[in-house]
Amino acid sequence: MTRWRDRAPAVFFVASAVLLACGAVAAAVGADGVSRVLWVSATLLGLALSVLWTARSVLERRAGVDVIAVLALAGALWVDEAFAGSMITVMLASGRLLEARAAARADRELRLLVERTPRTARRRAGNQVRGIPVEDVSPGDVLVVGTGEVVPVDGRLLATGTFDESALTGEPMPVERPNGDDVRSGAVNAGPPVDVVATSTASESTYANVVRLVQQAQATSAPFVRTADRFAVLFVPLTLLLAGFAWAVAGSPVRAVAVLVVATPCPLLLAAPVAIMSGLSRTSRIGVVVKGGAALEALAAGEVVLFDKTGTLTRGRPELASVVTAPDAPPALDVLRLAASLDQVSPHPLAGALVGAARGRGLDLALPADVHEVHGHGLEGRVGDAVVRLGKAAWIVGDDDPSWLRQVRRRAALDGCLTVFVAVDGRPAGAFLLEDPLRPDAPRMLAALREVGIRRTVLLTGDRADIAETVGRIVGVDAVLADRDPADKLAAVRDESAAARTIMVGDGVNDAPALAAAGVGVALAARGATASSEAADVVLTVDRVDAIADAILIARRSRRIALEAVLVGMGLSLVAMVAAAAGLLPPAAGAVLQEGIDVLAIGIALRALLPTRLHSVPMSADDIATARRLREGHEVAIAAVEQIRTVADALRTRDCRLDPVHELLDRLERELVPHERADEEELMPLVARALGGPATATMRRTHAEIEHQVSRLRRLLTGIAPAHVAPEDVTELRRLLYGLYAVCRLHNSQEEEGAFALVPPTPATARRGGTVRG
């Protein structure tokens, strides 16, 4: 039954077209009787189906305009205009076929998604691997994902792997993810088999969430489409009045039939839905799932955008900022290696930060043994011969309050960092400071929103006011509302909604009420399913917030094209109706003309499918490869920059040793300066091609400034005698180093936002390292 229902529009169109064409051939050879029978048959076919559709609309209490088609077909038979009736039938059949094709396209995408949904998983227990239903997977299970298999649940890699993530992101190229990186369900293993530690259940995983979102996206129609339907219903009495007037004036039903023939409002019934569905298709291609036409319409109408901070304007995934070691502890790199080795099998969100940082520094990690979680405290296990603990300060340090612990807490409070403490063989070894860095594409996204017509942006967060103000200044929002709990966020959204149409963007459970209350809720779900995804109207499945601006651009273009199609189509139909009422357009010619009007209106609507320039900057494959290569040097340069602060902090006015400063200078001249020159020669032309020459002006200036300051450091050190370092020499060195550090940090942010944010991120390039301090 389902297969027949899917094929029925095509069968109807082919049958009606064949009857019309065969009738035309018969008329051309003089077989008028045969042509009349064929055309009458086509008319009767259209009349029977139109009656069926009208009856179904009445039973379902839906407004419909099929009654105009019924009257037009019956009238054509009555006045013996069989050709006109057959043309009306073909017109109806073509409209139904176009509508079915548009719906089938979305259904096909959903069907492909559902067919790829994993049903089973292979769980490793020691040396044995056993297949289990995917519903039985629990966080912490070690799963084996073979070559060509779909990752069944969200997890963390225990070895480097290569994955095809096109079903989630639309990115066709496989992505290489290192040991310890997160991998999402729905990705296909494009490399050798890998082990994955499950971090979620099947129902909470990314892929299951995407399927649910696409199903929801097909459940609603756009307000514009519903408005079009209501306007089409108002069109019925207007048509009947005009047809009755024509009949009364002419004294013949022929003019009335002609009015009915050209009155079918296909531009309203078909063109508007085609344009809206085309917009939905376009947004899905850039990794934005819009839950139906209603959400697309509301997205196009947005005027004020409110943002959560964590996970929205920031990465939402903590990264290692620094390591502070306790007195008499092992070296900082050894502490990091031990902690990351233990965290390899932990599903905790912070575990990936330590594992990724260790891998980024080239540390060899060992698989831990005897791992167990101490509820409320942390994780404990054996790495090699050492017993390692990770968790809260009270569990690691106890009731003591040593100076290094106070230093950690002070730095964490100033920088807004999270802390994870570590002990080795029962003795405190240090602490890890984890920060949530700003998304490099966030400032460009704010600028793009203003370009598409958003007139106000607001940062709405539960974080501290000082941290929120800093983020707000960097990304460029118009207002910052900090220290807001979910109820406060809900109230803020309602206040903004009272004055303008709102769009709320968030990614956490605490954002769900605000997302539901806004005119449009936009959720970031690139790293898994959350309550925010369920409450939102629009969901980003790519880990780039600048896709929001492109989605708004597509939504506004689709709405504009839908309006153009309706105005052109209905305007021409009204002109044709008046001409038919005046006797200038007989039924047969009116049927041909109306078919042309319908095709024109639908053709205008299909423009919404055509590619258009978005805010995402197109780059050639060579430019992308060059940028990714330079990004590797950028990571090396960042490590050198972080050493500047470490060396400056260690300078003392008494008994000052200059060896660390000389080693730093050698490294800057060996790594940082060549990197900046390579950027000047290769990266700046790339950015200029993508964004235009003016976009590189500030970056070029800071390149010169960095090289100038390194040169000044060389001259300063040359003039200081190592055996007689005066206090004023130390002061000057410290001043120069801190200044160089600030310029380099600013420049790194410029390159992140102005250059590397243009390139789709890969795990190897998106991860930033932090300072390792002893």
Side-chain angles (χ1 to χ4, degrees):
M1 178 63 71
T2 301
R3 181 173 297 179
W4 163 249
R5 188 165 55 247
D6 294 340
R7 294 179 178 177
V11 171
F12 177 32
F13 174 76
V14 170
S16 60
V18 167
L19 290 171
L20 174 63
C22 290
V25 171
V29 299
D32 294 337
V34 176
S35 66
R36 184 177 184 281
V37 170
L38 292 172
W39 287 339
V40 168
S41 299
T43 305
L44 289 172
L45 174 63
L47 180 61
L49 291 174
S50 296
V51 170
L52 177 63
W53 296 331
T54 301
R56 183 181 300 167
S57 298
V58 172
L59 291 175
E60 294 177 358
R61 296 183 178 180
R62 288 188 295 106
V65 292
D66 294 314
V67 64
I68 294 180
V70 171
L71 294 175
L73 289 165
L77 290 175
W78 180 24
V79 300
D80 198 21
E81 288 282 354
F83 173 75
S86 64
M87 281 295 298
I88 296 171
T89 299
V90 171
M91 178 178 62
L92 292 173
S94 61
R96 291 281 173 170
L97 181 61
L98 283 172
E99 188 176 22
R101 291 293 184 189
R105 181 170 186 162
D107 289 339
R108 181 172 64 254
E109 293 173 356
L110 176 60
R111 186 166 57 251
L112 291 175
L113 284 172
V114 173
E115 288 174 355
R116 293 180 70 260
T117 302
R119 302 287 191 274
T120 61
R122 292 190 291 159
R123 183 166 59 192
R124 183 185 294 279
N127 294 325
Q128 295 184 342
V129 177
R130 186 167 59 92
I132 60 172
V134 71
E135 294 81 8
D136 293 345
V137 175
S138 300
D141 289 348
V142 178
L143 307 177
V144 179
V145 182
T147 303
E149 293 182 351
V150 178
V151 179
V153 299
D154 295 346
R156 183 173 297 116
L157 289 171
L158 292 179
T160 299
T162 302
F163 297 91
D164 174 5
E165 300 182 347
S166 56
L168 300 173
T169 66
E171 174 64 40
M173 298 300 294
V175 176
E176 182 176 329
R177 295 194 174 275
N179 182 349
D181 203 51
D182 294 331
V183 61
R184 294 181 287 168
S185 62
V188 177
N189 184 9
V194 292
D195 286 357
V196 176
V197 178
T199 57
S200 72
T201 62
S203 62
E204 296 173 345
S205 288
T206 298
Y207 197 68
N209 190 45
V210 170
V211 173
R212 285 195 299 269
L213 295 173
V214 176
Q215 289 172 332
Q216 294 173 19
Q218 298 177 12
T220 60
S221 61
F224 185 88
V225 176
R226 292 198 296 266
T227 301
D229 292 341
R230 289 194 293 270
F231 184 76
V233 173
L234 296 176
F235 194 71
V236 173
L238 174 63
T239 300
L240 295 178
L241 286 173
L242 190 56
F245 176 78
W247 191 347
V249 170
S252 170
V254 175
R255 288 194 187 182
V257 171
V259 171
L260 294 173
V261 166
V262 297
T264 306
C266 284
L268 277 171
L269 299 181
L270 296 178
V274 166
I276 296 300
M277 294 191 71
S278 297
L280 295 176
S281 177
R282 288 284 298 151
T283 57
S284 68
R285 293 179 191 175
I286 63 171
V288 180
V289 177
V290 182
K291 297 181 183 179
L296 192 77
E297 288 274 359
L299 191 65
E303 300 170 285
V304 176
V305 182
L306 302 96
F307 298 94
D308 177 45
K309 181 183 75 69
T310 304
T312 304
L313 297 181
T314 64
R315 292 188 186 276
R317 183 167 46 192
E319 298 178 4
L320 182 64
S322 62
V323 180
V324 178
T325 55
D328 301 324
L333 289 177
D334 287 345
V335 173
L336 176 59
R337 180 184 60 81
L338 292 170
S341 295
L342 177 62
D343 255 346
Q344 286 182 102
V345 297
S346 171
H348 196 280
L350 298 181
L354 297 183
V355 175
R359 287 296 178 187
R361 289 164 172 78
L363 303 180
D364 293 326
L365 304 185
L367 281 177
D370 303 327
V371 180
H372 60 279
E373 182 178 359
V374 179
H375 184 69
H377 295 284
L379 195 67
E380 185 175 28
R382 181 175 293 276
V383 179
D385 296 330
V387 176
V388 182
R389 280 185 176 184
L390 283 173
K392 297 180 178 179
W395 190 44
I396 302 300
V397 183
D399 296 329
D400 295 337
D401 190 23
S403 60
W404 71 271
L405 177 60
R406 293 194 298 273
Q407 178 189 2
V408 169
R409 287 174 172 165
R410 180 171 58 251
R411 189 177 300 170
L414 289 173
D415 297 339
C417 291
L418 298 172
T419 55
V420 176
F421 291 82
V422 57
V424 178
D425 292 330
R427 298 184 60 183
F432 304 102
L433 276 72
L434 306 173
E435 65 178 358
D436 185 13
L438 190 72
R439 288 180 181 268
D441 56 329
R444 177 175 289 110
M445 181 264 296
L446 266 295
L449 287 176
R450 292 187 176 88
E451 291 179 10
V452 300
I454 299 299
R455 57 183 181 83
R456 177 174 163 82
T457 54
V458 180
L459 174 56
L460 181 60
T461 177
D463 213 338
R464 290 174 6 212
D466 56 341
I467 296 175
E469 289 286 351
T470 300
V471 172
R473 281 194 300 271
I474 293 173
V475 299
V477 297
D478 297 315
V480 175
L481 303 177
D483 296 314
R484 305 298 172 105
D485 61 20
D488 295 331
K489 288 186 177 183
L490 179 60
V493 169
R494 287 175 174 168
D495 290 342
E496 294 286 346
S497 298
R501 296 181 179 91
T502 54
I503 300 172
M504 174 68 195
V505 187
D507 81 321
V509 173
N510 64 330
D511 298 320
L515 291 171
V520 182
V522 179
L524 279 71
R527 290 192 291 272
T530 65
S532 63
S533 301
E534 300 296 331
D537 307 292
V538 179
V539 179
L540 272 63
T541 61
V542 291
D543 199 16
R544 294 180 66 94
V545 291
D546 55 359
I548 298 171
D550 286 339
I552 294 175
L553 192 64
I554 291 172
R556 293 190 172 183
R557 179 172 179 263
S558 300
R559 185 180 62 172
R560 184 181 67 252
I561 289 175
L563 183 60
E564 291 172 358
V566 167
L567 291 177
V568 171
M570 294 308 297
L572 293 175
S573 293
L574 287 171
V575 171
M577 289 168 60
V578 173
L584 302 177
L585 196 63
V592 175
L593 178 61
Q594 183 60 38
E595 181 72 12
I597 292 173
D598 293 343
V599 171
L600 175 62
I602 293 171
I604 293 173
L606 287 173
R607 288 167 47 226
L609 272 178
L610 298 177
T612 185
R613 182 171 178 81
L614 302 175
H615 295 97
S616 301
V617 180
M619 298 176 64
S620 68
D622 289 342
D623 282 352
I624 291 176
T626 299
R628 286 178 171 166
R629 175 173 56 80
L630 292 173
R631 178 62 186 265
E632 295 176 2
H634 181 71
E635 294 299 320
V636 173
I638 287 176
V641 168
E642 293 298 340
Q643 187 180 347
I644 297 173
R645 184 176 65 176
T646 304
V647 171
D649 288 345
L651 288 175
R652 297 291 182 268
T653 55
R654 297 180 62 182
D655 300 325
C656 180
R657 295 178 58 251
L658 295 183
D659 291 344
V661 186
H662 282 284
E663 292 173 2
L664 169 65
L665 178 59
D666 291 341
R667 184 178 185 184
L668 294 178
E669 292 177 336
R670 185 178 65 252
E671 297 176 359
L672 181 63
V673 172
H675 165 71
E676 302 302 336
R677 290 175 179 173
D679 282 352
E680 186 70 23
E681 295 174 1
E682 298 183 80
L683 188 63
M684 293 303 98
L686 183 155
V687 175
R689 285 193 293 272
L691 301 176
T696 66
T698 55
M699 283 186 279
R700 289 183 184 276
R701 178 64 183 87
T702 49
H703 283 159
E705 183 65 23
I706 289 171
E707 191 163 351
H708 172 61
Q709 294 299 328
V710 173
S711 176
R712 289 187 64 207
L713 180 60
R714 168 63 69 185
R715 293 198 303 270
L716 178 60
L717 282 177
T718 302
I720 299 177
H724 302 284
V725 182
E728 57 269 22
D729 294 332
V730 175
T731 301
E732 185 64 20
L733 272 176
R734 191 182 290 136
R735 185 190 65 80
L736 197 155
L737 288 174
Y738 283 136
L740 176 60
Y741 174 74
V743 172
C744 289
R745 283 294 300 266
L746 176 61
H747 180 58
N748 287 340
S749 298
Q750 287 177 333
E751 288 190 339
E752 288 278 357
E753 297 170 13
F756 298 120
L758 303 177
V759 183
T762 62
T765 61
R767 189 183 307 279
R768 286 189 56 187
T771 310
V772 179
R773 304 187 183 190

